[in-house]
Amino acid sequence: MVVCGDDGLAHRLAAELRGVYGEQVTLVVPPSGRRVRQPVVGRARAASAAFLDLVNAAVNRTGAGPDGGDGGSGGNGGNGLEVEAGEPTEDVLAEAGVGRAAALALVYDDDETNIRAALTARRLNPRLRLVLRLYNRRLGQHIEELLDQAAALATGEARTPALDASTTVLSDADTAAPALAATALVGTSKIVETDGLLLRAVERQPPRPGEVADPGLCTLALLSATSNDPAGADGSEESGDQGPRLLPDAAAVARATGRGTVVLEQVSYSGPALSTRGGVVPPFASLFSRRLRWSIAGLAACVVALAVALTLVTGEHPLHATYVTLLDLFAINEPALEGTTGEQVLQLLTGLMGLLLLPVLLAAVLEALGTFRTATTLRKPPRGLGGHVVLLGLGKIGTRVLTRLRELHIPVVCVESDPEARGMATARRLRVPVVLGDVTQEGVLEAAKIHRAHSLLALTSVDTTNLEAVLYARSVRADLRVVLRLYDDDFATAVYRTLRAAHPGALTRSRSVTHLAAPAFAGAMMGRQILGAIPVERRVLLFAAVRVAGHPQLEGRTVGEAFRAGAWRVLALDTAASGAGGRGVGVGTGGTEAPGLVWDLPDTYVLRGTDRVVLAATRRGLAELLGRRGARRGAGVPGSAP
């Protein structure tokens, strides 16, 4: 694997590939003088950094690469090397071993740099699996199709699922948004997104005597018998009954008394929804203010009363009396000079009502025009709003999180200091209330109804601003759930521990966008099949989308027969229409087709060659299922399967 980048995402991605997947990684980064300060990634970073120091020292002493080849930093031996280069030119990519690599990730912050390097890398190695970081999604789709077509032409193979030279375009904002949204809702970022659904892994304590535990969608793992703390597991694949047990069968779950479990659940929101109807044509109730609506209703009631009075005075039919009243109201009737005194009095009163009607009609026209004019402008938080999410910052990350929250029908109030921010157009289109102002100023969070909010998402690009907003929000409401974006891991850890100690009854989470995005980029480098990875103590459970065809362990077997305890388990069946590149298949179930994923698969369902399934698997189980021989040769990597 080769990773090229100029910020923290490159280092996190390399650590993810080494520590989680046990892959050999060559990291291409700018020289030290131009490099962004590297964030600490915990034990995986420390171990990989120490290993790099040892390998580089050996290379400097011997002049030969660790694989016995020529010296230099472009070798692929050991667990990883580092190449310093200002730009990913053709010579740099060749030195990094792109011609022999299985996958290349280009995660520079500049889209043009990533595209130029991708075109060069595709020419150097047509069978290379490419992962690009691009914010522009529409451009990313075109680039993905172009590079896939170039790979197919260069290799002479059709674009089939078997062709591993795929191109995947990702955005760190898009990949981090689901995790941030889930953290704001349920307090965890251990999620997998598939078919528009957010699924989370939840650790549950052993049920009490007589209590029936909710199994969720399925039981993913049994926690360590000695302790529910990650230090209680040895991290090996053969950790036995004392360590965590991944993908247990029903009998093992029934026997495992006193052990916690990890179950799969769907993330959903059950609170009050904030209506975003209207678009260009707002609803009738929003055209006029409440005071104007009451004025119109009062005038209508007076007209009805005058029509009834005229009917009683003259004895005429109610419809005719109403017609005469309307003529008097609009001053187009003849004066009742020869009428009775009652008719004359009613005509005068009706004319007076007509005079009062003119300013009301003018106000209605002005308010309606103003409503249509402001339909594309910012809304203010409505009165009585509660249970919503307050989102600070409408930049690159905040915009994606806002879109994701609204897709889940979650009420949101945004706070932004820049009227020309990237996400203001999105907020107008979604008709989301926005408070313009500096979040550090008094009264701004109060205007966003922070005292009645469900949670606070501080996603500005300035760590101190996020921290100040969270501290002020906690002073307003001590039990508020807060999620803040912090770049520096040491700072984030210190903030998290301090806030947790100061407010033990409230949920506090500090998240880094690069930390949340790295698993998705790593999964894409492993292949399009990988949907995500969830850590279970010191082991990892992978989620993948796999075609049944070509896998004898699945094809022609029932769901129950295909399940192998400790290796893989079929979770869902993709019933979407067949699509290009193996992204969807058509599955007939009794002559009917239903788009999306079916999660409640019966154990008796027979898997067909045209089916595409979502399964959970261990690293070793997935390698066996996909036939990846030699994909796990890192014998020194903890938890890696051979």
Side-chain angles (χ1 to χ4, degrees):
M1 304 288 179
V2 180
V3 178
C4 303
D6 56 358
D7 58 8
L9 179 57
H11 295 276
R12 292 185 185 275
L13 176 55
E16 183 84 9
L17 291 169
R18 294 165 183 154
V20 176
Y21 296 96
E23 293 290 341
Q24 301 174 358
V25 182
T26 298
L27 181 62
V28 180
V29 293
S32 302
R34 299 173 52 187
R35 192 180 309 175
V36 178
R37 187 167 61 92
Q38 304 175 8
V40 180
V41 194
R43 297 180 180 177
R45 158 57 63 82
S48 60
F51 185 85
L52 282 176
D53 292 339
L54 292 175
V55 172
N56 290 332
V59 171
N60 293 333
R61 288 195 306 267
T62 63
D67 58 354
D70 295 336
S73 58
N76 264 343
N79 193 235
L81 296 176
E82 187 169 316
V83 176
E84 289 190 353
E87 296 290 338
T89 61
E90 182 173 353
D91 294 338
V92 171
L93 293 177
E95 180 186 358
V98 168
R100 306 182 306 274
L104 167 66
L106 298 166
V107 293
Y108 291 94
D109 191 54
D110 179 52
D111 287 1
E112 182 180 350
T113 301
N114 293 328
I115 295 174
R116 184 170 62 250
L119 296 174
T120 303
R122 180 59 79 207
R123 185 175 67 254
L124 292 175
N125 187 353
R127 294 184 175 274
L128 182 69
R129 190 184 305 120
L130 286 174
V131 178
L132 277 72
R133 173 188 182 184
L134 296 180
Y135 181 79
N136 191 328
R137 287 183 285 188
R138 179 173 297 180
L139 175 62
Q141 293 176 356
H142 296 309
I143 293 296
E144 186 173 327
E145 295 176 358
L146 175 65
L147 292 175
D148 278 353
Q149 184 177 5
L153 293 175
T155 57
E157 302 179 20
R159 294 180 60 187
T160 63
L163 180 59
D164 208 23
S166 61
T167 304
T168 304
V169 176
L170 297 174
S171 166
D172 54 343
D174 285 333
T175 53
L180 289 170
T183 305
L185 290 179
V186 295
T188 180
S189 59
K190 292 183 178 181
I191 65 165
V192 173
E193 184 180 20
T194 175
D195 195 47
L197 298 177
L198 284 179
L199 305 175
R200 63 166 177 166
V202 183
E203 292 187 7
R204 292 182 175 172
Q205 299 299 324
R208 299 177 181 177
E211 183 181 4
V212 179
D214 182 11
L217 294 176
C218 69
T219 300
L220 297 177
L222 297 173
L223 298 177
S224 299
T226 56
S227 170
N228 287 336
D229 186 79
D234 59 8
S236 64
E237 294 285 342
E238 280 79 19
S239 54
D241 292 336
Q242 297 302 316
R245 186 169 181 180
L246 303 184
L247 302 176
D249 54 19
V253 174
R255 293 194 306 266
T257 57
R259 297 180 63 169
T261 58
V262 178
V263 300
L264 190 65
E265 290 183 348
Q266 179 180 347
V267 176
S268 60
Y269 177 75
S270 58
L274 181 63
S275 174
T276 58
R277 296 178 304 167
V280 178
V281 182
F284 178 79
S286 66
L287 287 174
F288 311 112
S289 64
R290 178 176 296 183
R291 183 179 300 178
L292 182 59
R293 293 199 302 268
W294 278 111
S295 300
I296 295 175
L299 288 175
C302 291
V303 171
V304 172
L306 290 172
V308 172
L310 185 61
T311 301
L312 296 177
V313 170
T314 61
E316 296 179 352
H317 192 274
L319 291 179
H320 184 268
T322 302
Y323 173 71
V324 174
T325 301
L326 292 177
L327 292 179
D328 293 335
L329 181 70
F330 299 124
I332 56 177
N333 195 12
E334 294 293 336
L337 299 178
E338 299 179 357
T340 62
T341 304
E343 292 178 351
Q344 293 177 348
V345 171
L346 289 176
Q347 189 176 51
L348 291 175
L349 292 176
T350 305
L352 179 61
M353 295 300 300
L355 293 177
L356 297 177
L357 180 62
L358 290 178
V360 174
L361 291 178
L362 179 61
V365 171
L366 293 178
E367 284 199 7
L369 290 177
T371 301
F372 278 104
R373 182 178 300 175
T374 59
T376 57
T377 61
L378 300 177
R379 297 181 61 197
K380 294 182 179 180
R383 294 180 179 179
L385 177 64
H388 58 287
V389 175
V390 177
L391 176 62
L392 308 184
L394 286 176
K396 183 174 67 172
I397 306 300
T399 303
R400 294 289 194 255
V401 174
L402 171 62
T403 303
R404 187 58 183 146
L405 289 172
R406 291 307 305 143
E407 288 174 354
L408 295 174
H409 306 289
I410 298 168
V412 184
V413 174
C414 300
V415 179
E416 176 56 56
S417 59
D418 183 10
E420 303 298 328
R422 185 193 299 265
M424 298 298 283
T426 302
R428 292 188 183 96
R429 176 174 55 84
L430 298 177
R431 305 202 71 224
V432 173
V434 177
V435 177
L436 282 176
D438 187 355
V439 70
T440 60
Q441 299 297 322
E442 187 176 356
V444 175
L445 285 178
E446 285 83 352
K449 306 292 189 296
I450 191 65
H451 56 286
R452 292 199 298 265
H454 174 271
S455 56
L456 169 67
L457 271 169
L459 303 180
T460 69
S461 58
V462 182
D463 287 2
T464 55
T465 300
N466 295 334
L467 178 59
E468 184 176 355
V470 166
L471 293 176
Y472 182 77
R474 279 285 169 83
S475 67
V476 175
R477 181 180 164 190
D479 61 342
L480 180 68
R481 172 178 291 173
V482 296
V483 180
L484 63 158
R485 169 191 176 187
L486 298 176
Y487 178 79
D488 186 86
D489 273 0
D490 293 335
F491 182 49
T493 302
V495 169
Y496 167 71
R497 291 176 177 174
T498 304
L499 289 177
R500 185 180 60 178
H503 304 277
L507 187 141
T508 304
R509 293 290 184 268
S510 58
R511 294 289 184 262
S512 167
V513 173
T514 56
H515 177 76
L516 296 174
F521 280 82
M525 292 189 73
M526 299 302 298
R528 281 181 173 174
Q529 305 99 329
I530 306 297
L531 300 176
I534 290 179
V536 179
E537 297 187 0
R538 296 175 68 180
R539 296 177 61 188
V540 176
L541 197 59
L542 305 177
F543 292 82
V546 178
R547 282 186 180 272
V548 174
H551 301 293
Q553 304 94 330
L554 304 177
E555 190 171 5
R557 298 174 179 264
T558 64
V559 173
E561 293 172 348
F563 169 54
R564 181 182 295 182
W568 61 75
R569 177 174 187 167
V570 176
L571 300 178
L573 178 69
D574 186 359
T575 59
S578 178
R583 295 186 183 272
V585 295
V587 179
T589 55
T592 62
E593 287 189 2
L597 296 178
V598 178
W599 293 93
D600 53 347
L601 276 179
D603 289 342
T604 56
Y605 178 81
V606 179
L607 299 174
R608 310 172 186 176
T610 56
D611 288 348
R612 184 171 179 262
V613 295
V614 175
L615 51 84
T618 62
R619 289 197 297 253
R620 175 181 295 177
L622 187 62
E624 178 184 350
L625 188 64
L626 299 181
R628 289 178 175 171
R629 298 179 300 273
R632 299 290 181 270
R633 296 178 181 175
V637 180
S640 64

